[in-house]
Amino acid sequence: MLLEREGPLGTLLASAERAAAGHGGTVLVDGEAGVGKTSLLREFAENADRNYRMLWGWCEALFTPRPLGPLQDMAHLLDPRVAELLEETAAPERLFPALLNALQHTKGTTVLVFEDMQWADNATLDLVRYLGRRVSLLRTMLVLSMRRDEISADHPLTHVLGDLPSASVSRVTLEPLSSQAVTVLAEQAGRSADGLYRITEGNPFFVTELLSSSEVESGRVPDSIRDAVWSRLSRLTPGEREVLEVMSIMPGSVEPWLIRALLGDETEVLVDQCVGRGLLRRDVQGALTFRHELAREATLDRLAPSLQRSLHAKVEAALSELPAAQASALLSRRVHHAGGADNGERVLELAPQAAEQAARLGAHGEAASHLATALRYVSEAPSALAAQLCEDWAYEAGLSLFVYDEIIEARHRAIAIWRELGRIDKVGANLRWLSRLHWRRGEGQEAEDYADQAVREVENLPPGPELAMAYSTRSQLHMLHYRFNEAIEWGERAISLADRLGEVETRVHALNNVGTALMFADRPGGRERLEESLTLALDHGFHDHASRAYTNFAECAVVAKDFALAERLLAEGIAYCARHDLDSAAQYLLGRQAQLRTEQGRFREAETIAQGVMNLERLPMVMHLPALTELGRARIRLGEPSGAALLEQALQEGLTTGEAQRVIPVRLALAEAAWLAEEPGAGHEQLTALTEMDLDNFRPWDIGELAVWWQRCGMAGSLPVPAGRIPLPQALELRGDPMAASAEWSRLGLPYESALALMQVRGTDAGAALARAVATFEGVEARPAAALARKLAQRIGAANQLPKQRRGPYTVARQHPLGLTRQEQQVLTMIAQGLGNKEAARRLSRSPRTIEHQVSAVLGKFNAANRMEILLRLRGEPWLLPSADALQVREN
């Protein structure tokens, strides 16, 4: 079944039924080239009554059209006398009545299909006029297909159609497919739908050709599409072709003044003709675009490289003559055309300006793209500019791209040039960034080495910004390794120097390190420093520092079980990163969001979020480690077999970083998995490995969890941990009061931990505690823990106190990761489909005011300023969009 063609198909079938009843008619099927007219007619033929006689004929775009081409195609199936007259080239006054007579005396219903009537010869047009005025008296249906974009007001077919009796004429206009239909086709083809609707505008021919072509992978327009466009261009006037060729140089919309500047005022008529033919579109401001981006690309392919360069140069020159403010606003376009003109000097001048402009707006991917254009001409640049271009591209690409080998190489190129120029301050800055890049890849030793080298390089210089930031980088690495005292010492040193120099950026960076170290160590002052770091970063537009502040502050809140704070920081931080092209940071934050959902007992949501992060193949190791760890933890608790393997992978990757934060949670999760499986040996191995680390550098919540599992697993001996360092719920269980521990875990919002504590109750209350534990475990789908609790109850003879065991799959309703209600999820689906409030109200049978409130609620929960920011989030987090099946289940 064709997508979104039910209405047109119904019109054709209804007309055929009327013809079968003796009330024939003419059906006009029109639409742009490639919209699927022939496909619709074939579907009609498949669905029509088998007793109908379907006859097909075609008009063709020949330099000299065949007279009566469609009739010649079908004559031998129609009537011997008609075929004979055609062979004799009989005059219309003999031929047409013979055809009418044949149709009158034919048994049953006849459907005559004349395809591509925009190319019809005069004789065929006369035949259509003749038959169309008489067909209502016949059991005959005349179907005429035509390209709407090639039928102008003065086209002969227009006059013929105007002569037909309106009562016997039906019109079927085929529109392009919607974005939803395009997505369905892409999914059926096993291909990505990203950008497919934008470049095809829903044209079915373009969509299917792109989906079936391997050429699209290389960025080329498929030959089939190019040939179709070129064939269309060849039938235009030279003036129309020139307009389209000049337009093809310019992606996006083109202002009328620019067309006039390039081609002269007399081109207005030619532009209007191209619009009338459906080749170009004009928006409400009068700006022009190609009807299809693929048509623009195919038109561009026709132009010789020398002509392309010449046209690019003319466009850039025209843009540069604008007043300064306007020319500055068009920097991106000027860079594009300077590059297209192969004007290296102009690119080197404009691209850094465009990149700086884009970066200020948070478009770091676009900034990296501009700088990449400049790097094509880096051999023409002075040494200092060449080094700066490498450095700036590495920075922007490091924020928005996952090409770490190339980024590291660019940093080394910059270092080599700066060293030759004697700019040791610049060498130190790039060494510091190499430390950060290697840290992201999980290469802990390299990260520390480059950080140390950065300090050594700049220590011999007069105290300046680079030394302050090098100190802060050392602080950062100490904090990441849980060396909290050293992190605070180096961080305070960085803050002191930064304040003397008036360096706000370094203060922001160092406050983050010190604040995180203090919060992890459960010392006072940490939250205040993190809040200041985040506020300063946001106020000064330090996008990278703001994302890092959100990341560390949110993790501290999750670890401290301050879930309200964590929810706010994660929502704000993920939205901020999506808004500013900070893709790596966004994925790291999503890993922390998965951690929060695991803590809250929302394991299915944690699994969905974490799996989404892990699906990004080129994400550097450290940036996916939180998600990998939580994916393993969630699956262990859900009882899914892949959980242990994922945790083992996380452990191996974490060990390469040398950071306690990458190892401790994983070993604790593996110990829990062993306890659930009643495999004490495996659990003892993990716990013993943890005691071989420096326990003085563990965070309080980590040391408390270690102590609890040490006791639960029956480990020999005791841990040398001061009781004052262990948080209250863990301390209560260690003191022999698991009921109180369970209550405290419940108060904090950790149902799974509360139920684990209940499993430790002994004596007369054990049966009732296990019953509550089983109910909680089954409520959050924690099957292994529920099964173990039932075993314990059986062993102590308390099985009769347990709730009835579930049969079949769990039917717990899953909560949306952002807390959207069912109705808000439906509104989110409408937003994703591009529907406005009025259309959403109509579809959902709600009042416009209700929809307005629900849209506002969705924006609030997404921390989005507008619908576009929601779409940006959905692009990176598709799991936030509920499936239709999920909504239906909730509705039922």
Side-chain angles (χ1 to χ4, degrees), residues 257-444:
W257 68 263
L258 184 52
I259 288 291
R260 290 194 295 271
L262 297 170
L263 294 172
D265 294 339
E266 65 277 5
T267 59
E268 288 285 356
V269 174
L270 295 171
V271 168
D272 288 342
Q273 290 172 356
C274 291
V275 172
R277 291 180 179 275
L279 298 164
L280 298 177
R281 288 188 303 189
R282 183 181 277 118
D283 66 17
V284 292
Q285 281 80 37
L288 297 161
T289 57
F290 269 79
R291 178 70 179 82
H292 300 284
E293 173 63 12
L294 287 171
R296 185 192 70 80
E297 294 178 11
T299 304
L300 183 61
D301 282 350
R302 281 172 53 98
L303 307 185
S306 59
L307 178 56
Q308 290 189 34
R309 289 193 295 272
S310 174
L311 290 173
H312 277 298
K314 289 179 181 178
V315 174
E316 201 284 311
L319 294 175
S320 67
E321 291 173 4
L322 292 168
Q326 289 178 267
S328 176
L330 298 174
L331 271 172
S332 291
R333 290 169 64 180
R334 293 170 66 193
V335 172
H336 170 79
H337 292 298
D342 200 22
N343 187 337
E345 182 180 356
R346 199 74 167 136
V347 169
L348 290 170
E349 175 192 351
L350 297 173
Q353 298 176 40
E356 183 181 357
Q357 186 183 78
R360 280 200 307 270
L361 297 172
H364 295 286
E366 184 179 334
S369 179
H370 287 312
L371 292 165
T373 301
L375 285 172
R376 285 164 33 196
Y377 302 96
V378 71
S379 61
E380 302 176 25
S383 295
L385 177 57
Q388 194 64 52
L389 286 173
C390 292
E391 181 178 313
D392 290 347
W393 176 82
Y395 176 77
E396 298 296 342
L399 295 181
S400 57
L401 305 177
F402 300 145
V403 288
Y404 276 68
D405 288 340
E406 292 92 330
I407 294 169
I408 288 172
E409 182 183 349
R411 287 287 179 187
H412 281 292
R413 286 202 306 271
I415 288 171
I417 299 172
W418 287 128
R419 200 176 288 282
E420 286 181 5
L421 295 173
R423 291 291 305 275
I424 301 304
D425 57 329
K426 287 289 204 175
V427 171
N430 281 279
L431 287 169
R432 176 170 50 79
W433 275 106
L434 282 173
S435 171
R436 182 72 170 160
L437 292 166
H438 283 286
W439 170 80
R440 284 187 170 185
R441 297 211 304 190
E443 297 160 355

Side-chain angles (χ1 to χ4, degrees), residues 533-737:
S533 176
L534 178 57
T535 299
L536 286 173
L538 294 174
D539 288 347
H540 287 80
F542 298 147
H543 301 150
D544 184 35
H545 295 306
S547 72
R548 185 169 163 265
Y550 275 123
T551 297
N552 289 347
F553 201 177
E555 183 183 1
C556 288
V558 173
V559 169
K561 319 307 177 193
D562 188 344
F563 293 163
L565 176 62
E567 290 281 12
R568 177 176 67 80
L569 291 170
L570 286 166
E572 290 179 10
I574 293 167
Y576 184 88
C577 290
R579 193 179 303 134
H580 293 94
D581 284 354
L582 305 173
D583 292 343
S584 288
Q587 302 307 316
Y588 195 89
L589 276 166
L590 286 167
R592 293 304 177 199
Q593 189 179 57
Q595 180 184 357
L596 173 61
R597 296 291 175 258
T598 303
E599 297 285 81
Q600 293 169 322
R602 294 158 63 175
F603 305 132
R604 288 295 179 192
E605 292 169 50
E607 179 187 34
T608 300
I609 295 168
Q611 185 61 64
V613 175
M614 295 305 299
N615 286 342
L616 295 173
E617 295 179 359
R618 295 199 297 167
L619 197 65
M621 183 207 294
V622 163
M623 307 311 279
H624 79 213
L625 264 176
L628 177 61
T629 300
E630 296 313 315
L631 186 59
R633 278 217 303 164
R635 288 188 174 170
I636 284 291
R637 293 181 175 184
L638 289 166
E640 297 182 5
S642 59
L646 290 167
L647 288 175
E648 288 291 349
Q649 179 188 342
L651 178 60
Q652 295 310 309
E653 292 184 5
L655 288 170
T656 67
T657 70
E659 295 177 19
Q661 65 169 318
R662 315 293 172 196
V663 176
I664 295 171
V666 183
R667 287 201 184 278
L668 289 170
L670 285 167
E672 176 189 332
W675 180 77
L676 289 171
E678 297 187 278
E679 297 174 356
H684 291 185
E685 179 184 344
Q686 297 298 334
L687 296 173
T688 301
L690 285 170
T691 61
E692 294 169 358
M693 300 172 67
D694 186 352
L695 298 183
D696 289 337
N697 283 340
F698 276 40
R699 296 175 299 190
W701 286 97
D702 292 335
I703 197 69
E705 189 172 355
L706 172 59
V708 163
W709 282 112
W710 189 271
Q711 180 171 288
R712 290 172 183 171
C713 292
M715 298 290 288
S718 59
L719 286 174
V721 180
R725 287 197 61 204
I726 296 179
L728 179 58
Q730 296 159 335
L732 288 169
E733 181 175 331
L734 292 171
R735 291 203 297 262
D737 193 353

Side-chain angles (χ1 to χ4, degrees), residues 17 46 78 85 124 181 204 250 281 299 302 352 388 481 491 570 615 622 813 861:
E17 289 176 5
E46 287 290 323
L78 186 58
L85 289 171
T124 299
M250 297 173 276
R281 288 188 303 189
T299 304
R302 281 172 53 98
Q388 194 64 52
H481 285 269
L570 286 166
N615 286 342
V622 163
K861 291 179 180 180

Side-chain angles (χ1 to χ4, degrees), residues 31-49:
E32 66 182 32
V35 80
K37 298 180 291 296
T38 299
S39 297
L40 172 67
L41 294 176
R42 287 174 180 162
E43 187 79 7
F44 163 60
E46 287 290 323
N47 286 272
D49 192 304

